Amino acid sequence: MTAQEYNFAYLDEQTKRMIRRAILKGLAMPGYQVPFASREMPMPYGWGTGGVQVTAACLVPEDRLKVIDQGADDTTNAVSIRSFFQRTAGVAVTEATADATLIQTRHRIPEAALTEDQILVYQVPIPEPLRFIEPREVETRKMHALEDYGLMHVKLYEDIARHGQIATSYAYPVQVEGRYVMDPSPIPKFDNPKLSDSPAIQLFGAGREQRIYALPPYTKVVSLDFDDHPFVASKAEHDCDLCGSDASYLDEVIVDDSGGRMFVCSDTDYCGGRVALGHRGRLSPARAEDAA
Amino acid sequence: MSGRKIFAENFSDEAQTKEEFSPKILGSAEPLLRVQLLTKLYGTRIGCADVSFDLYPGEVMGIVGESGSGKSTLLSCLAGHMAPDAGSVVFQTKAGPRDTVTMSEPERRMLGRTDWAFVHQNPRDGLRMGVTAGGNVGERLMAVGARHYGGIRAKATDWLGRVEIAADRIDDRPSAFSGGMQQRLQIARNLVTGPRLVFMDEPTGGLDVSVQARLLDLLRGLVRQMGLSAIIVTHDLAVVRLLADRLMVMKSGRVVEQGLTDQVLDDPQHAYTQLLVSSVLQV
């Protein structure tokens, strides 16, 4: 059902216009946090109000929308946002990465390579990468303006001093085109290399913090590191227990009360696609039948 | 107005006498810092007015005066933390003399983390309390582009040693340090990039006398050893007697007397300086 009492994609046209202007400004200055007048959305802050507004401003009736939550298409956040846009915009939806023209994501970048015809929208809780080490907004803005980014490395230094390695494993800070230091939203650092040189447009929306930033296609994005402690895109040292993939980011799932665990692809579409192609993992039902 | 003119004349006299002996003593004719008629007003009230002086490389200058005399205002204007209303602060950068008042903010910040250092009275203002001692010392290095963890850590360890903090405290946060240690850590954090000019705002304030003595000893050693120039604001005459080559006495935002430290302290000319010197308790 398309609720006729709503404007297309919920937001009114003036609001979408305002958000599009912020997006264009963000694309013109990759990595720069553009303030925008974030609206109250019919969902709580932290559920992706920023991403939803960016998606609403970008959607056209011909779009095919995919929504990811931690890599999965079938978790609460993904299901509710998908049905929200089905109701208010009446757009087609899909779970297949390759079929989607607009993908809203929370905490992951799809495993499948993106194309020039796609827009990837991230939900961002805290857009300011310097926030936890410098609480004053006036000061962090000045630091961005003056490219005063020594503090970011202090954070990484502290990691190594305390843990023996850079222990930051998600929301790993990056520098965009040698200029702005940016928070890539809480994606695992395994996904960081995919930010760079991506053919798709990448948009970041933070609703509560009222910031939008963007990466145009083919933007150079470098993860910060030390010469003697280089950046490593780490993942669990296992293969997927369902599809056997050794190249995808894995979730660890506790399966019983005696410490049994399994590792599965966090990207459900990728994993399902591989299983359909006949790939099998350690705990695949097919294997279980073989054994029985 | 006439009073202001007299002050200005006094300064030019001072400048002349200094130029006569400075090159011989210090071996350099170019002042590191040339301050001219620096004025900062808070509305209609005077923060500091018409302050002029030259500071030569390797020279330590003390600024004394009672509370509210404009010492800290002057220091903030010199260090670029506050914009003065009039006057110039010409610093001899590696690329030649530059007026830091009209300099762009990024350039001033760059100076602030390379050639300049600022030691606050309260170490909490100058340190990051949530970051380990090593991170605190390393911050300036990383700010100017150091990207080798081992190198940064080695340098931090070296500097902790120089300010007499045990190497095994490198991963402790400053909140676990005593007041004296925090102040020494702040000094290490500031001197690690080898600045040429250090601003100090009451570096020994709030420390007990034995810790003060140790800190002064350390500071004197570092200043001599590194050939630093320094401007030290204090109300403690013992501190300037020990550290400063030259002394400037301020009252109500204006400089009332300046000269060699021993000369000013042993033979004060201005009534206020006489009062100040005679107010010190003898033990």
Side-chain angles (χ1 to χ4, degrees):
Chain A
M1 165 193 125
T2 305
Q4 287 305 313
E5 54 272 38
Y6 289 120
N7 188 35
F8 176 74
Y10 185 76
L11 292 174
D12 63 273
E13 292 303 314
Q14 284 303 314
T15 300
K16 285 197 266 183
R17 187 178 145 95
M18 174 270 295
I19 294 172
R20 286 174 195 144
R21 290 172 71 107
I23 292 171
L24 286 175
K25 187 171 178 182
L27 284 167
M29 284 187 279
Y32 173 74
Q33 299 166 46
V34 185
F36 79 110
S38 176
R39 297 290 191 255
E40 195 89 26
M41 296 302 282
M43 61 184 74
Y45 287 122
W47 281 49
T49 52
V52 163
Q53 289 178 74
V54 172
T55 301
C58 292
L59 271 183
V60 291
E62 297 78 39
D63 266 327
R64 242 188 330 279
L65 179 70
K66 171 182 163 77
V67 184
I68 314 171
D69 173 10
Q70 308 266 17
D73 289 279
D74 51 3
T75 50
T76 315
N77 198 281
V79 170
S80 19
I81 292 175
R82 195 163 54 223
S83 68
F84 173 74
F85 281 116
Q86 268 179 301
R87 259 188 82 188
T88 59
V91 291
V93 294
T94 178
E95 295 196 356
T97 305
D99 294 342
T101 55
L102 200 155
I103 304 170
Q104 179 171 338
T105 180
R106 172 171 180 262
H107 301 190
R108 272 313 307 278
I109 298 176
E111 302 290 352
L114 301 175
T115 68
E116 288 183 357
D117 300 324
Q118 292 177 315
I119 299 176
L120 187 58
V121 177
Y122 297 78
Q123 302 171 197
V124 184
I126 295 164
E128 179 51 72
L130 302 162
R131 177 62 68 240
F132 288 107
I133 207 136
E134 176 54 70
R136 291 166 294 179
E137 174 70 13
V138 172
E139 186 61 20
T140 54
R141 282 203 210 183
K142 203 178 265 178
M143 288 161 77
H144 281 294
L146 301 177
E147 264 185 274
D148 191 355
Y149 289 135
L151 258 191
M152 211 65 251
H153 274 87
V154 172
K155 183 168 181 277
L156 300 180
Y157 171 94
E158 289 291 292
D159 259 9
I160 305 174
R162 280 183 207 160
H163 308 291
Q165 55 174 342
I166 300 180
T168 305
S169 56
Y170 65 95
Y172 192 101
V174 295
Q175 189 160 31
V176 181
E177 287 288 340
R179 181 58 182 86
Y180 287 103
V181 165
M182 184 186 96
D183 181 346
S185 86
I187 58 172
K189 66 176 169 183
F190 173 80
D191 282 344
N192 267 20
K194 292 188 232 165
L195 289 165
S196 189
D197 219 28
S198 167
I201 295 176
Q202 301 176 79
L203 305 174
F204 299 77
R208 178 178 40 206
E209 303 287 325
Q210 313 202 322
R211 293 288 184 277
I212 284 174
Y213 49 104
L215 295 173
Y218 305 109
T219 302
K220 192 175 154 224
V221 179
V222 177
S223 305
L224 300 178
D225 60 1
F226 286 103
D227 296 343
D228 49 347
H229 285 266
F231 170 80
V232 180
S234 60
K235 67 183 270 287
E237 292 290 331
H238 289 270
D239 296 344
C240 174
D241 284 335
L242 293 181
C243 76
S245 169
D246 60 352
S248 74
Y249 189 73
L250 302 174
D251 287 338
E252 185 177 359
V253 184
I254 307 291
V255 289
D256 54 32
D257 288 344
S258 51
R261 60 194 62 199
M262 69 186 290
F263 290 89
V264 289
C265 293
S266 94
D267 187 336
T268 50
D269 171 52
Y270 173 82
C271 195
R274 276 178 57 88
V275 170
L277 284 175
H279 295 281
R280 291 291 177 268
R282 186 174 62 92
L283 297 175
S284 295
R287 285 280 170 87
E289 281 160 24
D290 291 345
Chain B
M1 278 314 291
S2 60
R4 183 174 293 190
K5 201 166 182 191
I6 291 167
F7 281 122
E9 278 170 10
N10 283 344
F11 293 137
S12 54
D13 285 351
E14 284 293 338
Q16 274 169 14
T17 36
K18 183 153 38 52
E19 262 159 36
E20 279 165 26
F21 63 72
S22 290
K24 270 176 274 171
I25 293 177
L26 300 159
S28 169
E30 280 297 302
L32 184 69
L33 192 73
R34 168 162 275 172
V35 180
Q36 272 166 338
L37 298 175
L38 197 71
T39 301
K40 171 72 187 175
L41 302 173
Y42 295 110
T44 53
R45 291 178 210 283
I46 292 174
C48 61
D50 300 335
V51 178
S52 303
F53 66 89
D54 288 346
L55 184 75
Y56 286 81
E59 195 177 29
V60 178
M61 168 130 123
I63 302 175
V64 294
E66 60 192 359
S67 295
S69 60
K71 312 177 301 255
S72 296
T73 300
L74 174 62
L75 197 70
S76 297
C77 288
L78 294 176
H81 295 174
M82 223 185 249
D85 293 304
S88 65
V89 180
V90 177
F91 180 70
Q92 191 74 34
T93 63
K94 276 158 192 153
R98 291 286 310 275
D99 186 353
T100 60
V101 174
T102 54
M103 200 179 241
S104 71
E105 179 78 22
E107 287 178 296
R108 209 178 304 125
R109 279 214 169 194
M110 198 58 193
L111 266 188
R113 51 182 195 239
T114 53
D115 279 349
W116 288 359
F118 197 104
V119 177
H120 293 265
Q121 172 175 9
N122 188 342
R124 279 173 179 75
D125 297 336
L127 292 172
R128 291 193 187 275
M129 299 306 283
V131 168
T132 62
N136 264 298
V137 178
E139 181 180 341
R140 273 169 77 105
L141 293 171
M142 293 182 249
V144 296
R147 291 291 179 264
H148 191 280
Y149 175 81
I152 293 165
R153 203 167 165 82
K155 211 150 181 188
T157 314
D158 174 41
W159 267 98
L160 289 183
R162 287 209 224 178
V163 296
E164 299 164 14
I165 295 175
D168 62 354
R169 303 298 303 268
I170 189 168
D171 290 333
D172 290 350
R173 296 188 191 181
S175 45
F177 286 7
S178 69
M181 278 172 84
Q182 287 180 357
Q183 194 58 287
R184 294 204 299 275
L185 179 62
Q186 193 192 179
I187 288 164
R189 165 187 163 89
N190 272 289
L191 297 187
V192 68
T193 46
R196 293 188 292 151
L197 176 57
V198 186
F199 301 100
M200 295 189 218
D201 191 1
E202 315 244 10
T204 57
L207 301 177
D208 65 61
V209 279
S210 60
V211 177
Q212 260 190 40
R214 229 171 114 198
L215 187 74
L216 285 174
D217 210 35
L218 174 77
L219 270 178
R220 190 162 57 169
L222 288 172
V223 164
R224 295 281 179 271
Q225 190 187 326
M226 297 175 73
L228 292 175
S229 301
I231 298 177
I232 301 177
V233 161
T234 180
H235 49 238
D236 189 341
L237 293 183
V239 171
V240 287
R241 174 78 91 175
L242 211 60
L243 284 178
D245 303 311
R246 261 189 328 130
L247 190 57
M248 205 157 85
V249 183
M250 290 187 76
K251 178 161 173 34
S252 312
R254 294 171 189 280
V255 176
V256 292
E257 187 165 354
Q258 61 173 319
L260 296 174
T261 305
D262 292 344
Q263 175 198 332
V264 174
L265 292 182
D266 294 341
D267 182 20
Q269 298 297 307
H270 191 276
Y272 173 70
T273 318
Q274 291 168 356
L275 178 74
L276 193 71
V277 171
S278 63
S279 304
V280 177
L281 290 174
Q282 300 297 325
V283 190

